[in-house]
Amino acid sequence: MSKCSAGQELPDWELQKIEGSSKTFVYTRRRGCDIIRNPHLNKGLAFTLEERLQLGIHGLLPPCVIDQDAQVLQVLKNYEMRKDDLDRYIFLMALQDRNEKLFYRVLTSDIERFMPIVYTPTVGLACQQYGLAFRRPKGLFITIHDRGHIATLLKSWPATDIQAIVITDGERILGLGDLGSYGMGIPVGKLALYTACVGMNPQQCLPVMLDVGTDNEELLKDPLYIGLRHKRVRGQVYDDLLDEFMQAVTERFGQNCLIQFEDFANTNAFRLLNKYRNKYCTFNDDIQGTAAVAVAGLLAALRITKNKLSDHTFLFQGAGEAAIGIANLIVMAMEKEETPRQQALSKIWMVDSKGLIVQGRDNLSDQKLQFAHPHPELRNLDDAVRALKPTAIIGVSAISGAFTEQIIKDMASFNQHPIIFALSNPTSKAECTAQQCYQLTQGQAIFASGSPFDPVTMEDGRVLYPGQGNNAYVFPGVALGVIACGVRHIHEEIFLIAAEAIVEQVLEEHLAEGRLYPPLKAIRNVSLLVAVKIAEYAFRNGMASVYPEPEDKESYINSLIYSTDYDEFVVDSYTWPEEASQIQTVKK
């Protein structure tokens, strides 16, 4: 043990924050290169001369001392020199490896600019090229051959206060299919947004790649592939691996550790969600996060159509986890409008690879069966649109161009404001572009997409800004709200609350511009509101385990936010600032 000048005992932790009224201090026993090679501690040229002398790094850096704002400018100049988005992605990931606080300061300086690089659509390309982009591990790789030893692997991770995990098995990365171990880019990107969009402490987040093999023949033959080189393992062995992982996580990090499932194939996504949702603190972003952001867009659209959800007929292109998740949340929202459940279900139709889902069709899963209604079988979306005359079509099939020119024109012919959501990611998989949708409907369509599209200028001079139904509006705020109040099981109502909170931030001026969501530059405020609303709901309904209940939920949640400002270093008891000697030590 060490002691500060007030006689206060300091545990032998490598990193310790000492929080005072206005400053935060870091205590570390590391010295020299160990400091500047640690992204959690490194400040680059922002180390003061005093810090350099105390930490043994004087001479390891050029003599110039520059502040963090100047460092941001330096990063931006370097960023602008990169030739393409993949190069920019690799550049930013390298910055994250060197200087964590500077990385997040850059991201939050212009989230609208950088989100498409660290998340969709560029993260999809990065996953496809992950063998080239891989520099150093940012998360934990657990393979099917590690069964029986997962608890030991978790102990290899240096941080012990993990509060959020994003896990994938790489089988359905965006709309790109099975990318195996290359799918690690998704958990890394998601957790970067946990910090950038809502302020989760990155040292409390853990990306996990569950490598059980891949059925992608190209990857199996690729000499640069970084994963297991065999076909996917399925069945009981796969289930046993997941069971062991979930149990090991709660034993290592506690029952309140949030586990977000990401990009699992349909065959596993629903059953794993149903299996674990009432036992662990977990959710599936592809099912529930996508549902919340889509329903938020629909609720915003109602302010244009001037009616209720139950007045609409919804037709989905696709019937996988995203479609089922959105449809179920639409039903819940209609029930909140006091629409009977069966009537709500009758308003929703789906087209899958075999055509319109109708009663009497063979081999329908339980998830699809509830949306199977009496109707003659139809083979494609075009026929379904003409027959059903929906008010809204929602694309979640990853079939590029599925919303044809004829379909868009048909939608405009029997709707004053057709709702057209092309939600598939990445951009290359979108069912239609914003420009196609707006131009073919003379700007009357209510459009949203999963990936970003540029503003569209109409012939009459109007500029329309496509709404991006980005899950980033949902999962960071949900995560912080759940973690802040210690929710142990995440109920479906939480995602409807998230959708309603997002809509609260959509102004009339946004709707007039074509936006169904707040501008991305406001996403941090949106995410914080989502977290506060979830915390209020959790305490109100007895779902929170934090005690005592904070009187001011917003202030409480704001107190948890990670700061991108550099900390000041304290080396030993003889160099402690006077104000630091009187304050409580808090392990981070």
Side-chain angles (χ1 to χ4, degrees):
M1 290 283 195
S2 299
K3 292 188 178 182
C4 69
S5 57
Q8 192 175 3
E9 288 194 343
L10 295 174
D12 294 323
W13 296 326
E14 287 197 348
L15 180 64
Q16 180 174 356
K17 288 183 183 283
I18 302 142
E19 298 181 353
S21 58
S22 61
K23 292 183 179 180
T24 302
F25 301 93
V26 173
Y27 174 84
T28 178
R29 296 182 181 280
R30 296 196 176 201
R31 295 293 183 275
C33 288
D34 284 346
I35 294 286
I36 57 180
R37 290 175 181 169
N38 185 318
H40 309 313
L41 301 177
N42 185 30
K43 300 197 294 186
L45 294 180
F47 284 109
T48 64
L49 178 58
E50 183 181 16
E51 287 174 330
R52 296 180 192 201
L53 291 169
Q54 291 173 357
L55 297 171
I57 59 176
H58 184 55
L60 299 181
L61 297 169
C64 178
V65 177
I66 63 175
D67 63 21
Q68 195 176 32
D69 290 336
Q71 288 180 311
V72 170
L73 289 176
Q74 185 183 54
V75 170
L76 294 179
K77 283 185 175 293
N78 275 279
Y79 179 87
E80 290 162 1
M81 294 168 60
R82 306 295 146 171
K83 63 182 184 298
D84 56 40
D85 283 348
L86 181 59
D87 199 23
R88 296 180 187 104
Y89 172 88
I90 294 172
F91 171 74
L92 288 176
M93 292 302 103
L95 176 62
Q96 186 181 26
D97 288 339
R98 294 194 312 274
N99 186 331
E100 192 171 66
K101 281 186 176 285
L102 183 58
F103 169 75
Y104 286 110
R105 172 61 68 89
V106 170
L107 255 59
T108 54
S109 70
D110 192 347
I111 192 69
E112 196 165 11
R113 179 183 187 183
F114 295 112
M115 186 183 293
I117 304 299
V118 299
Y119 191 47
T120 57
T122 307
V123 72
L125 177 61
C127 285
Q128 290 176 302
Q129 304 289 329
Y130 209 70
L132 292 172
F134 182 79
R135 297 293 186 273
R136 56 184 289 182
K138 297 179 184 293
L140 205 58
F141 290 83
I142 298 174
T143 77
I144 191 69
H145 307 304
D146 294 319
R147 282 178 302 149
H149 304 286
I150 293 179
T152 302
L153 263 66
L154 290 176
K155 290 178 182 178
S156 299
W157 191 251
T160 58
D161 185 24
I162 296 299
Q163 297 189 8
I165 290 174
V166 175
I167 180 172
T168 186
D169 70 354
E171 188 169 5
R172 193 204 62 84
I173 298 299
L174 302 175
L176 302 170
D178 187 349
L179 296 184
S181 203
Y182 281 0
M184 177 57 108
I186 295 297
V188 170
K190 291 278 184 178
L191 288 173
L193 295 190
Y194 268 44
T195 301
C197 294
V198 81
M200 281 283 294
N201 187 331
Q203 295 171 56
Q204 296 175 331
C205 299
L206 173 60
V208 175
M209 175 68 223
L210 197 70
D211 191 346
V212 297
T214 178
D215 292 335
N216 187 323
E217 290 292 344
E218 290 185 10
L219 292 182
L220 292 174
K221 297 174 183 176
D222 183 358
L224 299 179
Y225 182 56
I226 63 175
L228 295 178
R229 294 178 182 274
H230 58 65
K231 294 287 188 178
R232 281 189 172 272
V233 175
R234 303 185 186 277
Q236 190 60 49
V237 176
Y238 176 92
D239 287 0
D240 290 346
L241 182 73
L242 262 298
D243 287 344
E244 182 185 346
F245 171 78
M246 300 297 283
Q247 182 63 31
V249 165
T250 54
E251 289 177 358
R252 173 68 170 161
F253 303 123
Q255 187 70 39
N256 288 356
C257 181
L258 172 66
I259 305 171
Q260 174 180 328
F261 279 69
E262 194 68 41
D263 287 358
F264 283 71
N266 291 345
T267 52
N268 290 319
F270 287 107
R271 69 182 190 86
L272 292 176
L273 176 61
N274 292 332
K275 180 178 183 179
Y276 295 133
R277 69 191 308 168
N278 295 320
K279 189 176 181 182
Y280 300 101
C281 179
T282 185
F283 73 96
N284 185 300
D285 184 51
D286 303 298
I287 298 173
Q288 297 163 292
T290 302
V293 77
V295 168
L298 293 173
L299 294 176
L302 297 181
R303 289 163 57 181
I304 299 173
T305 60
K306 308 297 184 184
N307 53 15
K308 300 189 300 182
L309 279 175
S310 54
D311 295 323
H312 289 267
T313 300
F314 302 92
L315 176 60
F316 286 82
Q317 170 62 41
E321 52 200 275
I324 298 295
I326 296 169
N328 282 329
L329 201 63
I330 290 174
V331 170
M332 181 180 290
M334 285 190 194
E335 289 180 307
K336 197 169 183 178
E337 292 179 346
E338 300 185 351
T339 302
R341 180 173 179 80
Q342 284 306 122
Q343 182 181 338
L345 288 169
S346 72
K347 297 285 186 177
I348 298 172
W349 298 78
M350 294 186 180
V351 173
D352 64 9
S353 60
K354 297 179 182 178
L356 186 66
I357 294 175
V358 296
Q359 285 185 0
R361 227 185 74 178
D362 295 335
N363 302 318
L364 290 175
S365 65
D366 291 340
Q367 288 85 13
K368 293 182 180 182
L369 194 58
Q370 61 183 329
F371 301 107
H373 311 304
H375 196 280
E377 291 194 22
L378 299 172
R379 291 297 303 162
N380 54 55
L381 182 65
D382 302 63
D383 294 339
V385 167
R386 285 191 289 270
L388 298 173
K389 293 183 170 52
T391 57
I393 53 174
I394 302 174
V396 282
S397 64
I399 299 175
S400 177
F403 294 168
T404 63
E405 179 178 335
Q406 189 58 53
I407 287 175
I408 296 172
K409 286 183 175 179
D410 285 344
M411 287 293 294
S413 70
F414 43 75
N415 291 297
Q416 181 182 0
H417 293 290
I419 298 172
I420 299 175
F421 283 10
L423 299 181
S424 292
N425 284 314
T427 311
S428 61
K429 299 292 183 178
E431 286 76 12
C432 69
T433 68
Q435 187 168 9
Q436 290 167 339
C437 181
Y438 287 136
Q439 289 185 345
L440 291 172
T441 63
Q442 284 76 53
Q444 295 304 301
I446 302 173
F447 177 81
S449 60
S451 288
F453 282 103
D454 292 332
V456 176
T457 301
M458 303 300 296
E459 290 183 2
D460 59 8
R462 285 183 299 157
V463 179
L464 298 176
Y465 295 82
Q468 186 189 353
N470 195 321
N471 286 26
Y473 283 111
V474 177
F475 63 81
V478 167
L480 182 59
V482 164
I483 291 167
C485 55
V487 172
R488 294 188 173 176
H489 308 299
I490 303 175
H491 298 175
E492 208 66 31
E493 290 86 351
I494 281 178
F495 294 94
L496 186 54
I497 289 168
E500 292 169 343
I502 294 167
V503 176
E504 282 187 28
Q505 300 293 299
V506 180
L507 307 178
E508 290 301 318
E509 63 196 61
H510 298 149
L511 296 173
E513 294 175 337
R515 302 181 191 268
L516 297 180
Y517 302 94
L520 278 175
K521 63 184 178 182
I523 196 168
R524 198 171 177 98
N525 291 334
V526 175
S527 298
L528 287 170
L529 178 64
V530 169
V532 170
K533 293 289 186 182
I534 287 171
E536 291 172 347
Y537 172 82
F539 280 107
R540 188 167 60 247
N541 290 276
M543 297 164 57
S545 61
V546 168
Y547 182 84
E549 177 180 348
E551 291 186 14
D552 187 337
K553 310 294 189 300
E554 184 175 354
S555 295
Y556 166 63
I557 287 178
N558 276 315
S559 72
L560 305 176
I561 300 305
Y562 170 80
S563 172
T564 61
D565 293 337
Y566 286 142
D567 301 317
E568 293 186 26
F569 280 78
V570 173
V571 180
D572 54 43
S573 60
Y574 299 104
T575 59
W576 278 61
E578 184 176 350
E579 63 263 44
S581 66
Q582 304 297 323
I583 54 183
Q584 184 179 4
T585 61
V586 181
K587 183 180 177 183
K588 290 292 182 183

